[in-house]
Amino acid sequence: MPTMNLLQAINNALDIAMESDPRVLCFGEDVGGFGGVFRATSHLQEKYGRERCFNTPLVEQGIIGFANGLAAQGHKPVAEIQFADYIFPAFDQIVNESAKFRYRSGSLFEVGGLTIRAPYGGGISGGLYHSQSPEAYFAHTPGLKIVVPRNPHQAKGLLLAAIRDPDPVLFFEPKRLYRASTGEVPEADYQLPLGEAEVIKEGSDVTLLAWGAQVEVTEKAAELAEKEGISCEVIDLRSILPWDVETVAQSVLKTGRLVISHEAPLTGGFAGEIAATIAERCFLYLESPIQRVTGLDTPFPLTLEKEYLPNHLKIVEAIKASIDF
Amino acid sequence: MTTTTASQVIHEPRFMDGDEFHIATFALLQQDGTLFEGAQAPELDRETARRIYHTMVLIRVLDERMLAAQRQGRLSFYMQCTGEEAAVIGSAAALDDDDMIMAQYREQGALAYRGFGIDEFMNQLFGNAEDYGKGRQMPIHYGSAKLHYMTISSPLATQIPQAAGYAYGQKLDGQGRCTITYFGEGAASEGDFHAALNMAAVHRAPVIFFCRNNGYAISTPSVEQFAADGVAPRAFGYKMHVIRVDGNDVLAVYAATREARRIAVEHNQPVLIEAMTYRLAAHSSSDDPSGYRSKKEEALWREKDPVNRMRLWMLAQEWWSDDEEKTLQEQLRREVLETMKRAEKRPPPPLASLVEDVYAEVPARLQEQLDALEAHVRRHPEAYPKSAPGLDQGGA
């Protein structure tokens, strides 16, 4: 099995998707001959031609509007937004159009072929506009699916599933891991299920929940906690919308404790939704308040990035607070 | 590396404001139904002309009747197309029937031209169980997959870049089809308009951008919408073919759109058409134009009525008669009224339809919400007269 980094896995998934279905197109800013500012679309234009892999003018609302039309027409556009921080000009096209296309027409029309890829997250000295994690804005929008992979194997399988899914999918890629995360990735075409969380380590004392780049941080926290005799169950949520309530609830019914971590700010972050739902579902089984370890309620800072981010030490403290409650 | 800019070099600062471009208005038909001197009518056969005119009369009757129904409280909302029938129907007639139409909301005439039945209009207006959109959207948000008329949405201009993308897909399919997208001059101020024209020009999408410049966006006159000479000159900035046409002249609209379609399909190039017209009615049933414009101005435009103009031309062609006019008017009035009465009585969509079509399949969490809602409605049937009877019959 070949070893790939996260970018290579994404590039490989796009290649397979375009190869296996002539209706799949890749486009966005600098996506064409150059292959994207992160090289996620390298060589795709050479291989599949300018009509199927191309640069667009620099206009996010245009990219997604155009993609909505193509998807409604029956093609399968994989549109790239260069940084998740710049997805907001397309917010209207995504929230009012992509998400509601099927519902408002009673399924006469739909844009299920649409996939939007965007690098997200901090840890790369990106400051305010190259670090954001906007998943919670979109999680409030029925009609969308939101997926965040944590490593190359996940990225390939989830992206292929996203492209072939009958609903529009936002696919947020942890750019801090683009080259940092490597692992074995099957060469073959495979898919991982959307809407399903994955228990990546079983434990009995506390459930730790994260997604994307934050899973690695959470795993590190789990290792430290285990050294102190705390058995951690670690779950990668993978899909933010719809999210896998069942897997998380089952775990919390067993451990009685939950620590959720994400890079995005606390207030209105997706951990809030999870905490409220798990409190409803598992009230009598909870032995301590659900902990949220997140970014601060500030814009994403440059110099004090390390202080801002919810690192493994903060998570370990939250685990202990949960155990000692 | 190529660049699109090959510019002459000058040595004194010379500013330009585009005033040297004057875009003329293409017009063929005068208000009395005769052609301008030297003007030539497009090739338009008797059958097509009658189909266009029939659709115009239908839309007039429908708009009049449904506005009245809204005033009577039988309908929550309505928007008329009055004054813009030639622009909308004349352009739709110039397309192939399987070209895609992506409209704003004042283009019911294009849909009617394609053959959308009065019954289908009514089902949407009343949001009953027969409505294709399952009663989810406000009245006039029509859609028809079989007639290639994309379902309308309220956010302005969002359909314009979508039309560019749709047309690009048609180009890839190589079936010789194109897309027309309609929008008002107000919507053309949205960023999506710019995004769309630029994307379409760069990627050579066979799309016709059809602007209905009717002078007003709700209460805002076009002089407060843009400083330039209308919407048409913007095409130059995108290197796009453009034409301005008298929107109340069905022959000019038809001829211009036919040629635009040819350019789009044969050369894979987008075209912008600006149809100069006037919104004779209120913006919507929620608007009263007397607060922002004069009766005198309205009267001036009523004299330029596009439907009457076409009628006079049809009479002169001997393709239409006063008797036929009378019969058609009476027949359509009766049909609209009777169809409306039937549609009003149809049941609402079932409660379960609330959660359908959000996704291709209903997610577990959404199904739970529906189950809870159904149980609640059963406990309080008196509070939910629309859905409770359906639940009783449906059982569960």
Side-chain angles (χ1 to χ4, degrees):
Chain A
M1 206 182 289
T3 299
M4 295 184 194
N5 66 28
L6 192 76
L7 274 170
Q8 290 164 331
I10 287 164
N11 183 251
N12 182 235
L14 293 172
D15 192 356
I16 290 173
M18 292 182 85
E19 175 89 48
S20 62
D21 187 343
R23 293 173 300 164
V24 176
L25 298 98
C26 292
F27 53 86
E29 295 158 13
D30 306 296
V31 161
F34 184 58
V37 294
F38 292 104
R39 302 293 190 279
T41 54
S42 283
H43 306 298
L44 297 178
Q45 189 179 74
E46 277 166 50
K47 230 172 145 177
Y48 301 103
R50 287 173 171 275
E51 286 199 322
R52 287 182 63 199
C53 178
F54 53 86
N55 288 337
T56 63
L58 208 163
V59 57
E60 287 78 13
Q61 67 197 90
I63 293 170
I64 304 305
F66 193 85
N68 274 333
L70 256 171
Q73 192 267 345
H75 276 80
K76 293 188 173 177
V78 184
E80 178 180 302
I81 297 293
Q82 202 157 73
F83 286 86
D85 311 67
Y86 306 128
I87 203 168
F88 302 113
F91 200 73
D92 184 45
Q93 281 287 346
I94 297 170
V95 170
N96 275 332
E97 297 292 317
S98 314
K100 298 170 176 62
F101 227 92
R102 184 191 295 278
Y103 191 71
R104 73 189 184 201
S105 72
S107 282
L108 286 185
F109 300 98
E110 42 86 13
V111 294
L114 173 67
T115 305
I116 301 170
R117 295 178 39 244
Y120 89 98
I124 59 143
S125 300
L128 276 74
Y129 305 112
H130 298 83
S131 307
Q132 293 181 60
S133 298
E135 66 271 19
Y137 290 105
F138 297 99
H140 198 54
T141 305
L144 297 178
K145 288 184 177 173
I146 306 170
V147 178
V148 192
R150 74 171 185 278
N151 63 28
H153 178 265
Q154 299 283 313
K156 179 175 172 181
L158 289 170
L159 181 54
L160 278 165
I163 292 169
R164 292 157 179 170
D165 189 82
D167 295 303
V169 181
L170 285 173
F171 193 83
F172 290 120
E173 300 165 2
K175 62 178 167 299
R176 182 170 67 75
L177 303 184
Y178 265 158
R179 292 191 172 81
S181 175
T182 57
E184 290 194 335
V185 177
E187 257 175 303
D189 187 339
Y190 67 93
Q191 297 181 44
L192 295 171
L194 305 189
E196 287 184 23
E198 186 189 5
V199 179
I200 51 181
K201 197 188 92 56
E202 293 199 5
S204 54
D205 295 333
V206 59
T207 301
L208 309 183
L209 179 63
W211 50 89
Q214 200 59 14
V215 175
E216 188 191 47
V217 178
T218 303
E219 283 180 295
K220 197 168 166 190
E223 270 175 43
L224 285 177
E226 303 245 313
K227 282 187 186 144
E228 300 192 27
I230 303 167
S231 168
C232 301
E233 181 142 305
V234 182
I235 302 179
D236 175 5
L237 191 62
R238 297 200 295 196
S239 283
I240 307 296
L241 194 70
W243 68 285
D244 187 351
V245 180
E246 215 45 51
T247 298
V248 179
Q250 284 305 320
S251 175
V252 176
L253 289 176
K254 179 177 73 176
T255 62
R257 294 182 172 87
L258 176 61
V259 176
I260 312 164
S261 184
H262 58 60
E263 286 184 23
L266 175 71
T267 302
F270 198 64
E273 175 60 31
I274 297 168
T277 306
I278 295 303
E280 275 170 18
R281 287 282 298 264
C282 309
F283 185 68
L284 293 175
Y285 293 78
L286 282 170
E287 296 184 37
S288 68
I290 296 167
Q291 300 273 337
R292 290 179 286 166
V293 187
T294 70
L296 273 64
D297 287 344
T298 67
F300 200 108
L302 179 67
T303 305
L304 298 183
E305 177 177 55
K306 197 169 177 183
E307 286 74 6
Y308 168 89
L309 279 169
N311 64 13
H312 60 286
L313 296 174
K314 294 181 186 174
I315 298 175
V316 169
E317 286 190 358
I319 293 169
K320 287 185 185 165
S322 179
I323 297 287
D324 296 341
F325 181 79
Chain B
M1 191 59 215
T2 56
T3 165
T4 54
T5 310
S7 182
Q8 181 203 355
V9 176
I10 58 170
H11 306 294
E12 58 194 36
R14 191 197 303 157
F15 293 88
M16 304 160 83
D17 70 357
D19 213 30
E20 53 273 51
F21 301 117
H22 291 285
I23 298 186
T25 301
F26 171 52
L28 298 172
L29 191 59
Q30 303 182 90
Q31 193 56 40
D32 64 3
T34 63
L35 293 173
F36 281 100
E37 200 180 319
Q40 206 177 345
E43 274 182 45
L44 180 64
D45 60 58
R46 179 179 183 273
E47 194 189 333
T48 307
R50 285 174 65 98
R51 182 173 162 195
I52 293 172
Y53 186 70
H54 186 285
T55 308
M56 284 185 175
V57 176
L58 164 62
I59 290 302
R60 274 283 157 95
V61 170
L62 185 73
D63 281 357
E64 199 178 294
R65 182 59 247 168
M66 298 324 289
L67 184 73
Q70 194 281 333
R71 294 283 180 252
Q72 293 165 340
R74 296 160 82 173
L75 201 62
S76 58
F77 180 77
Y78 197 73
M79 294 178 113
Q80 298 169 270
C81 178
T82 313
E84 301 176 48
E85 294 92 343
V88 170
I89 302 164
S91 53
L95 304 173
D96 280 9
D97 278 352
D98 49 11
D99 289 336
M100 175 50 75
I101 295 176
M102 296 172 77
Q104 180 167 303
Y105 48 57
R106 212 180 292 286
E107 297 89 358
Q108 51 266 53
L111 185 55
Y113 183 82
R114 290 266 170 103
F116 205 63
I118 297 172
D119 214 38
E120 292 171 297
F121 277 111
M122 290 299 172
N123 290 335
Q124 200 285 327
L125 291 169
F126 287 101
N128 64 33
E130 305 288 309
D131 170 27
Y132 302 130
K134 307 188 185 180
R136 291 168 184 152
Q137 291 214 83
M138 285 173 74
I140 68 101
H141 291 58
Y142 309 111
S144 171
K146 66 178 189 289
L147 300 177
H148 309 287
Y149 190 95
M150 183 67 73
T151 300
I152 303 296
S153 73
S154 307
L156 284 182
T158 50
Q159 82 282 8
I160 313 177
Q162 290 169 13
Y166 200 99
Y168 186 81
Q170 289 172 314
K171 178 174 85 167
L172 294 187
D173 284 351
Q175 309 274 318
R177 294 197 180 121
C178 70
T179 295
I180 192 169
T181 179
Y182 294 99
F183 51 89
E185 88 288 349
S189 294
E190 293 281 2
D192 273 351
F193 170 85
H194 154 68
L197 268 69
N198 200 32
M199 295 277 288
V202 169
H203 291 291
R204 301 181 66 113
V207 54
I208 301 168
F209 298 105
F210 193 103
C211 178
R212 298 177 289 95
N213 185 344
N214 64 16
Y216 288 89
I218 307 187
S219 74
T220 304
S222 54
V223 291
E224 292 171 30
Q225 198 64 246
F226 34 69
D229 170 31
V231 172
R234 293 182 210 171
F236 298 145
Y238 302 104
K239 192 157 177 31
M240 186 178 296
H241 286 89
V242 62
I243 191 168
R244 172 175 286 154
V245 59
D246 179 347
N248 288 20
D249 171 351
V250 71
L251 297 184
V253 169
Y254 180 82
T257 313
R258 272 269 295 267
E259 178 59 12
R261 186 185 189 281
R262 196 189 63 76
I263 294 168
V265 171
E266 290 180 15
H267 301 286
N268 285 319
Q269 286 189 344
V271 183
L272 175 64
I273 299 176
E274 182 181 29
M276 308 308 289
T277 180
Y278 189 81
R279 196 196 74 213
L280 272 179
H283 163 67
S284 74
S285 57
S286 311
D287 170 51
D288 173 11
S290 69
Y292 53 82
R293 69 186 191 190
S294 69
K295 291 278 169 212
K296 202 174 139 195
E297 180 186 291
E298 288 176 16
L300 206 69
W301 279 91
R302 199 158 283 119
E303 283 169 24
K304 300 181 187 178
D305 183 349
V307 179
N308 195 40
R309 193 184 300 185
M310 186 177 190
R311 186 180 62 86
L312 294 172
W313 180 74
M314 295 283 284
L315 289 173
Q317 301 288 111
E318 298 189 350
W319 286 356
W320 195 244
S321 70
D322 290 336
D323 282 349
E324 280 180 295
E325 178 77 22
K326 192 163 171 276
T327 310
L328 179 65
Q329 293 267 2
E330 282 170 8
Q331 177 214 321
L332 286 176
R333 274 171 216 286
R334 196 169 53 244
E335 210 178 323
V336 164
L337 193 64
E338 284 167 5
T339 311
M340 177 173 78
K341 284 179 182 165
R342 281 200 304 276
E344 263 181 319
K345 291 191 185 107
R346 290 196 184 109
L351 190 59
S353 72
L354 258 184
V355 304
E356 292 166 3
D357 312 313
V358 179
Y359 296 94
E361 286 175 31
V362 181
R365 202 150 164 69
L366 189 48
Q367 185 61 46
E368 284 170 19
Q369 292 168 26
L370 176 68
D371 295 344
L373 177 61
E374 283 189 353
H376 168 79
V377 172
R378 283 207 174 84
R379 287 192 295 274
H380 304 277
E382 71 293 342
Y384 303 98
K386 280 184 182 155
S387 54
L391 271 189
D392 289 345
Q393 289 156 20

